Amino acid sequence: MMDTASPEEKLIRKRIAEIPLLQAVEHRLGLRDILIRYIKPHGNEAVPAVESLLLLVFNIACGRQPLYELDAWIAKLDDGLLNLDWDSLTQAPLSNHPQGIFNDDRFGRALDKLYQADRASMITDVAIRVVQATGVDLSQLHNDSTSVKTTGKMPGKTATGLYFARGHSKDHRPDLKQVVYSLTISADGAIPIHCKAYSGNTTDDTTHIETWNTLRHIAGRPDFLYVADCKVCTDKQLSHIVKHGGRVVTLMPNTWKESEIFKNQQRENPRSKQRILRRLIPNRETQYETFYRIAGEHLTQQRGYTLHWIYSTEKKKRDRLSRANLLKKVEAQLTGLMGKINTRNLKTREQIQRRAHEILESRGVLNFYHLEVGDVKQSEKVQIGKGRPGKDTQYRTKTETIHTLSWTRNIVALNKEKNVDGLFPILCTDKQMSAKEALVAYKYQPNLEKRFYQLKSIHHVAPTLFKKVERVEAILFLFYLALILQAVIEREVRQQMYKKGIEALPLYPEHRLSYHPTTAKIFDQFQDTTVSYLTVNDQLTKEYRDHLGPIQRQILALLKISEADYWRSTDYVKVER
């Protein structure tokens, strides 16, 4: 009898998205080869640990999901993107993944293997390979740190000494334990060059020597310009870097004597200034910020490092606004104090004056006010003796002294303070650098803050959701790799735009232009790109690819990725197209 059953047809849709872009850049940088060199595969692994780690890196770069959601995220991807040996697995491509093949336990074990590897050497190898592959310039490097918080308990201490502890929280959560994440980027494309995690109570003024020594090895020379915040300004750190041929640009702390001496002189006799730079204010199309150099030669008292005193028109506005708000808060406190005088511990002139001085001193505005505690005598008649008053009742006059508090602003001191508004000191150990060169170098530092923004707001590094501090230390290395991939993509697109004379790309909604495309906006153009497979009785018969639009093809061309390479994952089986 003839079988008349109708064929079973299925249409299976798989995501391609931005993964081919990440894989192309990863292949150019040779990250897989470096990982394989340090993490040896085992013969009984269904999925090699290195492949699991790279999937984690791609997931972080795309917008991180928790480990327990990765299985569902991977199941939506085209199977050819996973770089797996399908013959060794129990299922064929396009079939449903066996339950648990990409569960959080697999990724956890891969992180354990990464933790056991020599990640310090890996970071150096990755940085050197990035330099070789991209030609990034290491003549100027920027360092800073941020805090990575955790919730709940995170006990234990790694072999490298990393542990979660309370410290200065840059997330403004002093109630949570944290680790400190130090990152160094290049001034060429803001590409991450080095990273390291420290215990949560570590301060930046103890980490720069170790960081600079590592960067000297990566750069292959000591004379690169090292730009950092004012925590590098300790004699031990600066003298170590200078002694070994290094150069540093940073801000001098306001706590140094040189700062107060100069400002006192400037308050009394303002020095002339010379314009050195004028630039557009970010996100303000028609407004400019102008920088001036204060005349004269300025040196630190110890070691004689060069100080460039810079005046900024925008900082002047911020300083005056900040002081105006501060004075309002001080006067609100003094007004509140007025309602408490003549009671409890504020009954004498000395007590009132001492408390008012404490308020002014705690805010640092003692010189900006004239305080006066006055006396007012008030009298009243008081009955002598007890009982109901009558025609024979006698009275006496009772006189009481009431204290008052008044204040006025010290106009002379406030006018003198305006002479130091907008000033900040740049410390430079290279006497050959001009004030403009030092200023331009330091003004690149916000690009490092943007990497921290990516780390926290896009990649969601915090709070850490692991139960083992060892896995936290391992995954922080993967965040470093994800930042590298994103930075290289940004740099490549922007460089090619400049070479080809492309001013902007229409990456924003309503085809609005992006003059400096970020990786997130580039990825948005590919997020819905898919491939669909038609199967008949579980046999693959046809493949349908989404159409790539003009902007998608333009981005691929800028990244030097052909359309054939973008769709390469679909070529593991030949079907009718």
Side-chain angles (χ1 to χ4, degrees), residues 536-550:
V536 179
N537 294 333
D538 293 330
Q539 296 297 317
L540 189 59
T541 58
K542 288 187 179 181
E543 173 188 302
Y544 305 94
R545 298 174 178 175
D546 284 353
H547 174 71
L548 294 181

Side-chain angles (χ1 to χ4, degrees), residues 51-52 187 225-226 274 286 330 334 348 379 385 389 477 481 503 506 510 530-531 568 574:
E51 300 304 328
S52 298
L225 187 64
Y226 184 70
Q274 175 188 7
T286 59
V330 169
L334 293 175
T348 67
S379 302
F477 172 79
L481 297 183
E503 185 179 5
E510 302 173 348
T530 62
V531 59
R568 186 179 298 277
K574 292 184 179 179

Side-chain angles (χ1 to χ4, degrees), residues 40-105:
K40 302 300 180 184
H42 295 281
N44 60 347
E45 284 183 319
V47 179
V50 168
E51 300 304 328
S52 298
L53 294 172
L54 285 175
L55 283 173
L56 270 174
V57 172
F58 297 154
N59 177 260
I60 291 170
C62 295
R64 181 190 176 200
Q65 278 83 24
L67 290 189
Y68 58 82
E69 294 183 5
L70 281 178
D71 194 3
W73 178 76
I74 292 172
K76 296 177 183 178
L77 297 178
D78 186 51
D79 295 309
L81 295 171
L82 305 183
N83 198 37
L84 298 180
D85 182 6
W86 293 99
D87 294 335
S88 65
L89 299 176
T90 58
Q91 84 280 7
L94 297 182
S95 63
N96 292 327
H97 296 303
Q99 184 67 28
I101 186 173
F102 283 107
N103 57 21
D104 53 353
D105 186 54

Side-chain angles (χ1 to χ4, degrees), residues 33-226:
D33 295 337
I34 294 175
L35 288 172
I36 291 175
R37 194 185 315 153
Y38 287 90
I39 304 174
K40 302 300 180 184
H42 295 281
N44 60 347
E45 284 183 319
V47 179
V50 168
E51 300 304 328
S52 298
L53 294 172
L54 285 175
L55 283 173
L56 270 174
V57 172
F58 297 154
N59 177 260
I60 291 170
C62 295
R64 181 190 176 200
Q65 278 83 24
L67 290 189
Y68 58 82
E69 294 183 5
L70 281 178
D71 194 3
W73 178 76
I74 292 172
K76 296 177 183 178
L77 297 178
D78 186 51
D79 295 309
L81 295 171
L82 305 183
N83 198 37
L84 298 180
D85 182 6
W86 293 99
D87 294 335
S88 65
L89 299 176
T90 58
Q91 84 280 7
L94 297 182
S95 63
N96 292 327
H97 296 303
Q99 184 67 28
I101 186 173
F102 283 107
N103 57 21
D104 53 353
D105 186 54
R106 178 177 299 280
F107 289 108
R109 290 196 303 269
L111 289 173
D112 290 338
K113 291 181 180 179
L114 177 60
Y115 168 74
Q116 295 167 3
D118 183 2
R119 278 167 290 104
S121 298
M122 246 193 293
I123 288 174
T124 301
D125 288 353
V126 167
I128 292 174
R129 181 69 187 114
V130 168
V131 173
Q132 293 172 346
T134 65
V136 60
D137 182 12
L138 299 186
S139 61
Q140 181 176 317
L141 300 175
H142 293 252
N143 175 265
D144 201 357
S145 68
T146 190
S147 56
V148 178
K149 63 180 182 289
T150 188
T151 54
K153 295 182 179 180
M154 185 66 74
K157 187 176 183 179
T158 68
T160 60
L162 180 70
Y163 62 92
F164 278 82
R166 289 186 175 87
H168 175 66
S169 175
K170 297 183 180 180
D171 294 321
H172 308 290
R173 289 299 304 270
D175 56 314
L176 298 179
K177 291 185 177 181
Q178 64 182 26
V179 293
V180 174
Y181 190 68
S182 174
L183 184 67
T184 303
I185 66 169
S186 67
D188 178 8
I191 295 179
I193 300 299
H194 177 262
C195 74
K196 186 169 181 180
Y198 296 91
S199 300
N201 54 7
T202 304
T203 55
D204 290 353
D205 55 8
T206 61
T207 63
H208 288 289
I209 291 178
E210 178 186 11
T211 301
W212 185 85
N213 286 339
T214 304
L215 294 175
R216 177 177 59 173
H217 175 64
I218 293 173
R221 59 180 189 178
D223 61 343
F224 60 88
L225 187 64
Y226 184 70

Side-chain angles (χ1 to χ4, degrees), residues 376-430:
V376 176
K377 294 186 182 296
Q378 63 180 18
S379 302
E380 63 176 335
K381 289 185 177 182
V382 180
Q383 177 182 329
I384 298 175
K386 298 179 180 181
R388 181 177 297 178
K391 62 179 181 178
D392 297 326
T393 302
Q394 295 183 351
Y395 296 87
R396 64 181 176 86
T397 301
K398 179 182 177 182
T399 303
E400 185 179 9
T401 300
I402 303 298
H403 297 293
T404 61
L405 175 65
S406 61
W407 63 87
T408 56
R409 292 185 179 183
N410 187 339
I411 302 302
V412 175
L414 286 172
N415 286 335
K416 289 182 178 180
E417 195 66 19
K418 292 179 180 180
N419 293 333
V420 298
D421 286 342
L423 294 179
F424 61 95
I426 294 181
L427 185 151
C428 180
T429 64
D430 184 357

Side-chain angles (χ1 to χ4, degrees), residues 150-318:
T150 188
T151 54
K153 295 182 179 180
M154 185 66 74
K157 187 176 183 179
T158 68
T160 60
L162 180 70
Y163 62 92
F164 278 82
R166 289 186 175 87
H168 175 66
S169 175
K170 297 183 180 180
D171 294 321
H172 308 290
R173 289 299 304 270
D175 56 314
L176 298 179
K177 291 185 177 181
Q178 64 182 26
V179 293
V180 174
Y181 190 68
S182 174
L183 184 67
T184 303
I185 66 169
S186 67
D188 178 8
I191 295 179
I193 300 299
H194 177 262
C195 74
K196 186 169 181 180
Y198 296 91
S199 300
N201 54 7
T202 304
T203 55
D204 290 353
D205 55 8
T206 61
T207 63
H208 288 289
I209 291 178
E210 178 186 11
T211 301
W212 185 85
N213 286 339
T214 304
L215 294 175
R216 177 177 59 173
H217 175 64
I218 293 173
R221 59 180 189 178
D223 61 343
F224 60 88
L225 187 64
Y226 184 70
V227 185
D229 64 9
C230 63
K231 293 297 180 64
V232 75
C233 285
T234 65
D235 183 61
K236 180 179 179 181
Q237 294 182 127
L238 289 176
S239 60
H240 174 87
I241 295 173
V242 173
K243 177 182 176 181
H244 291 86
R247 301 181 299 144
V248 179
V249 165
T250 183
L251 285 184
M252 183 186 72
N254 284 327
T255 55
W256 282 24
K257 294 180 181 179
E258 292 89 335
S259 177
E260 191 59 29
I261 291 174
F262 175 83
K263 287 183 178 180
N264 285 337
Q265 295 173 350
Q266 189 73 3
R267 289 183 181 102
E268 300 297 332
N269 298 299
R271 298 193 181 194
S272 62
K273 52 185 182 290
Q274 175 188 7
R275 193 172 82 172
I276 58 175
L277 182 66
R278 185 172 183 259
R279 66 173 191 175
L280 275 170
I281 301 173
N283 303 321
R284 300 185 199 172
E285 296 181 356
T286 59
Q287 298 185 36
Y288 288 85
E289 180 177 13
T290 307
F291 297 91
Y292 297 81
R293 171 186 174 273
I294 304 300
E297 183 181 16
H298 312 284
L299 303 173
T300 62
Q301 293 181 357
Q302 191 173 16
R303 309 278 182 183
Y305 300 130
T306 300
L307 287 175
H308 298 294
W309 278 95
I310 307 298
Y311 169 79
S312 162
T313 54
E314 284 300 302
K315 187 176 186 300
K316 179 192 73 172
K317 296 177 184 177
R318 293 194 298 269

